[in-house]
Amino acid sequence: MTAITGHTTIWGILADPIHHVKTPQALNAMMHERGVDGVMIPLHVRASDLDTFVTGLRSMRNLKGFVVTVPHKTAIVDLCDEVSDHARAIGAVNTVRREADGRLVGEMLDGAGFVSGLRQGGIDPRGRSVYLSGAGGAANAIAFALAEAGVSRLTIANRTRAKSQDLQQRLAKHYPAVPVEIGTPDPTGHDIVVNATSLGLKDGDPLPLDVDRLSADQIVAEIIMQPEITALLAAAKKRGCRTHPGQPMLACQLELMAAFMEMHP
Ligand code: ATR
């Protein structure tokens, strides 16, 4: 790491717990490589202290931004001075830029990271039909980013149907031109199939969708990074599908975060 001096710019990551975070390692390495005189530090803050803490951050003049993760992604929305329409509709922010005058500008980059990872893998979602498994935090961000990317239609399938319906309604408000349906575990009839649930993370998790219905002309994408080949991806490969792993979503998101928080030399 570059030596910290009085000139060093600070970025932070807010979380509780904090010990497991990997973003500081990745962004500090990126800054070092790019010659940025900056450091990202872990900020361990309880949910009940978030308001007070964020008020203090506004006056920290050498702070240029912070990443926000569990459990603060929702609560931070109302603590920002400005939030993109996109983040407001999702109801979560994961990256905040501190402007020179102390104003805090929030954005949600989870979904953009996923779409940018797809494109990097040579898959453009524009004009394609997409089946999305899940309606939690990650799925919300991905659904909005896919609608923004111009998918031809979107089908949301989630264990808790009310959450799919809620997401469907919010999408309809922001992207009235994109048809959104509520689906079943059967992904038949879609160009791209995405797992945006947490299923696949743990050994013995049930599959997020009915893999027997996958066909070789479908692309199957994952948000789970570990293991790299989830049970879903293994089953999809077996059925002849092209697959897209979870890792690029994170790599692309780190780039987007660095750009949003102006981590330039
Ligand atoms: P994240 O922020 O990672 O998206 P989350 O908001 O808790 O986390 O969402 C987890 C997603 O995985 C949800 O879509 C959840 O389905 P429910 O909305 O029905 O809870 C899904 N999920 C988790 N465990 C599941 C299981 N055993 N079976 C089916 N879906 C599951």
Side-chain angles (χ1 to χ4, degrees):
M1 198 201 284
T2 317
I4 296 174
T5 70
H7 294 285
T8 305
T9 302
I10 311 291
W11 283 271
I13 176 164
L14 263 75
D16 181 27
I18 193 93
H19 60 88
H20 63 291
V21 295
K22 303 273 191 300
T23 311
Q25 295 90 310
L27 287 180
N28 284 324
M30 188 192 284
M31 282 194 270
H32 182 70
E33 209 177 281
R34 296 178 185 182
V36 180
D37 183 6
V39 63
M40 174 171 274
I41 56 169
L43 303 167
H44 189 188
V45 183
R46 281 209 193 100
S48 55
D49 294 326
L50 187 69
D51 195 340
T52 322
F53 186 79
V54 168
T55 302
L57 290 183
R58 287 174 200 282
S59 59
M60 186 170 165
R61 300 190 61 191
N62 58 355
L63 178 88
K64 220 159 174 189
F66 49 91
V67 168
V68 184
T69 187
V70 179
H72 305 307
K73 285 191 199 185
T74 307
I76 197 74
V77 175
D78 290 332
L79 300 176
C80 290
D81 300 293
E82 190 184 321
V83 161
S84 71
D85 288 349
H86 176 91
R88 193 165 294 283
I90 297 166
V93 154
N94 76 339
T95 312
V96 177
R97 177 174 66 240
R98 182 190 171 280
E99 305 274 342
D101 60 2
R103 293 177 69 254
L104 300 177
V105 183
E107 181 57 288
M108 179 59 181
L109 296 170
D110 276 346
F114 176 78
V115 168
S116 161
L118 270 185
R119 290 204 181 107
Q120 206 179 65
I123 304 159
D124 187 355
R126 178 168 299 279
R128 315 287 269 285
S129 55
V130 180
Y131 173 95
L132 181 70
S133 176
N140 262 264
I142 288 171
F144 273 82
L146 286 169
E148 177 72 33
V151 296
S152 62
R153 64 190 174 88
L154 186 65
T155 299
I156 305 163
N158 191 51
R159 174 179 59 180
T160 311
R161 194 180 163 90
K163 278 164 74 179
S164 333
Q165 287 166 331
D166 177 64
L167 174 55
Q168 180 189 36
Q169 281 165 12
R170 280 178 293 117
L171 282 166
K173 231 182 268 166
H174 286 81
Y175 299 97
V178 180
V180 180
E181 288 161 38
I182 305 296
T184 66
D186 179 0
T188 305
H190 298 81
D191 301 319
I192 305 175
V193 175
V194 182
N195 174 38
T197 71
S198 48
L199 295 174
L201 206 52
K202 293 192 302 279
D203 264 352
D205 271 350
L207 286 159
L209 52 95
D210 186 354
V211 293
D212 292 336
R213 309 295 298 215
L214 289 170
S215 54
D217 56 346
Q218 290 178 308
I219 297 171
V220 178
E222 211 14 306
I223 65 160
I224 303 293
M225 278 168 253
Q226 197 60 33
E228 197 184 327
I229 313 272
T230 57
L232 170 67
L233 292 184
K237 270 185 209 265
K238 229 184 196 169
R239 296 191 67 85
C241 304
R242 175 172 176 187
T243 59
H244 179 80
Q247 196 62 38
M249 174 177 173
L250 176 68
C252 289
Q253 196 176 179
L254 290 170
E255 283 294 344
L256 295 170
M257 283 174 165
F260 187 79
M261 296 187 295
E262 299 175 344
M263 266 177 184
H264 314 308

